[in-house]
Amino acid sequence: MGRNRRDLPWRQSNDPYAIWVSEIMLQQTRVAVVVERVPGFLERFPTLDSLAMAPEQEVLALWSGLGYYRRARMLHKAAQFCGRPVDGKDAGNGWGLKTLPGIDRYTAAAIASIAHNESVAVVDGNVERVLCRLEGWEAGAAAEAPR
């Protein structure tokens, strides 16, 4: 399984925060750009708390060049949200991440599998389209398919 994964800098550890930041940056941004930008972001905001306490304008300024500033705003909001109890569950672990602002099924699955070594399928839109074509399913059915 590990032989097919990409060798990316943030995958050299199992730090959920670094993986989370990189996965959010990777949404609609080329990998080469993210590889260049993750280190600077993590240097300025090395912990979830440092990101949560930062002014939004500072987060957005460091996000400059990555586009889609909504992702940065949601990441910042989620960092602030992490300090609050979430129905008694740990939002920072695996599937609990889906309770955070800006975390969808794909991102939660990516973080859960990379950071927490959970056996969850990471299915993006491209994989879903292929599965739908192969199985003759309607669009959106791959997420509902039996596992």
Side-chain angles (χ1 to χ4, degrees), residues 16 20 48 78-79 81-113 115-116 118 120:
W20 178 11
L48 196 57
F81 191 81
C82 281
R84 303 178 195 157
V86 184
D87 298 331
K89 297 178 185 168
D90 179 12
N93 188 10
W95 284 111
L97 290 164
K98 290 189 300 184
T99 63
L100 297 173
I103 304 286
D104 60 9
R105 289 174 54 110
Y106 176 86
T107 305
I111 296 166
S113 65
H116 301 291
E118 293 182 27
V120 292

Side-chain angles (χ1 to χ4, degrees), residues 11 20-21 28 38 42 82 85 91 93 102 105 108 113 119 124 139 145:
R11 291 187 180 168
W20 178 11
V21 168
Q28 301 188 7
V38 165
L42 292 176
C82 281
N93 188 10
R105 289 174 54 110
S113 65
S119 295
D124 69 3

Side-chain angles (χ1 to χ4, degrees), residues 54-134:
E56 182 180 277
Q57 285 310 112
E58 190 174 344
V59 175
L60 295 178
L62 207 52
W63 199 268
S64 178
L66 291 169
Y68 300 96
Y69 287 92
R70 183 174 187 279
R71 295 177 298 155
R73 285 187 177 96
M74 296 302 279
L75 177 65
H76 187 230
K77 183 184 280 188
Q80 294 168 337
F81 191 81
C82 281
R84 303 178 195 157
V86 184
D87 298 331
K89 297 178 185 168
D90 179 12
N93 188 10
W95 284 111
L97 290 164
K98 290 189 300 184
T99 63
L100 297 173
I103 304 286
D104 60 9
R105 289 174 54 110
Y106 176 86
T107 305
I111 296 166
S113 65
I114 298 166
H116 301 291
N117 204 28
E118 293 182 27
S119 295
V120 292
V122 179
V123 179
D124 69 3
N126 296 321
V127 172
E128 183 176 350
R129 279 191 293 281
V130 169
L131 289 173
C132 287
R133 286 182 186 144
L134 287 173

